[in-house]
Amino acid sequence: MPPGSAALVVALILATAGLGALSVVLWARLRQVQARLDPAERGTAIEITIDNPIELAREHTRWGGQLGRVAPRLVSRRVHDQVAAEVRGKLVERGVVAEVRVRRA
C-alpha cells in the first residue's frame, strides 16, 4: 500500500460514519417538522381566522381605535396574541391538551 493510503482509508471510513450519523439526525428532524406541518400526523386541527382585529381592539380597549389607525399591524398582532392566550386558557381549564399558536404571514 502506498504511504498515507491507510490514513485515507481511515478518513473515508470516518467520513462515511459521520454522514450516516448526520443522515439519522436529519431524518429525525425531518419527521419532527413533518409532524408539525401535517395535521394528519397529529390529529385533526382547528383553524381560527380573526377578520376584524381592529374593531375588536376598538370595542374592548381604550387605545384600540386610535392606535388601530396609526399602527394597524401592531394592533392586529396584539389582538391575535390576546385571543390565542384566552383560547389556550379556556382549553387548559377544560383539561384539553392542545397547542395554540399564532401563525404569522
Side-chain angles (χ1 to χ4, degrees):
M1 232 183 340
S5 61
L8 179 60
V9 170
V10 171
L12 287 174
I13 290 171
L14 291 175
T16 304
L19 289 176
L22 179 62
S23 67
V24 169
V25 170
L26 290 175
W27 181 83
R29 182 66 181 134
L30 176 63
R31 294 297 297 159
Q32 290 174 345
V33 170
Q34 285 175 333
R36 284 186 179 167
L37 296 177
D38 186 4
E41 291 282 328
R42 299 177 57 222
T44 304
I46 297 172
E47 183 173 313
I48 299 171
T49 303
I50 301 171
D51 294 327
N52 62 340
I54 305 299
E55 290 176 33
L56 288 173
R58 188 179 323 122
E59 291 173 11
H60 296 282
T61 65
R62 290 183 285 167
W63 52 265
Q66 295 156 351
L67 191 57
R69 284 186 224 110
V70 178
R73 291 184 70 189
L74 175 67
V75 171
S76 179
R77 287 177 66 108
R78 180 67 181 119
V79 167
H80 283 84
D81 291 342
Q82 182 64 36
V83 170
E86 291 178 20
V87 168
R88 190 178 299 112
K90 291 294 183 183
L91 291 172
V92 168
E93 283 177 14
R94 294 181 177 244
V96 177
V97 177
E99 179 182 351
V100 177
R101 58 191 160 113
V102 178
R103 182 182 55 177
R104 307 222 191 267

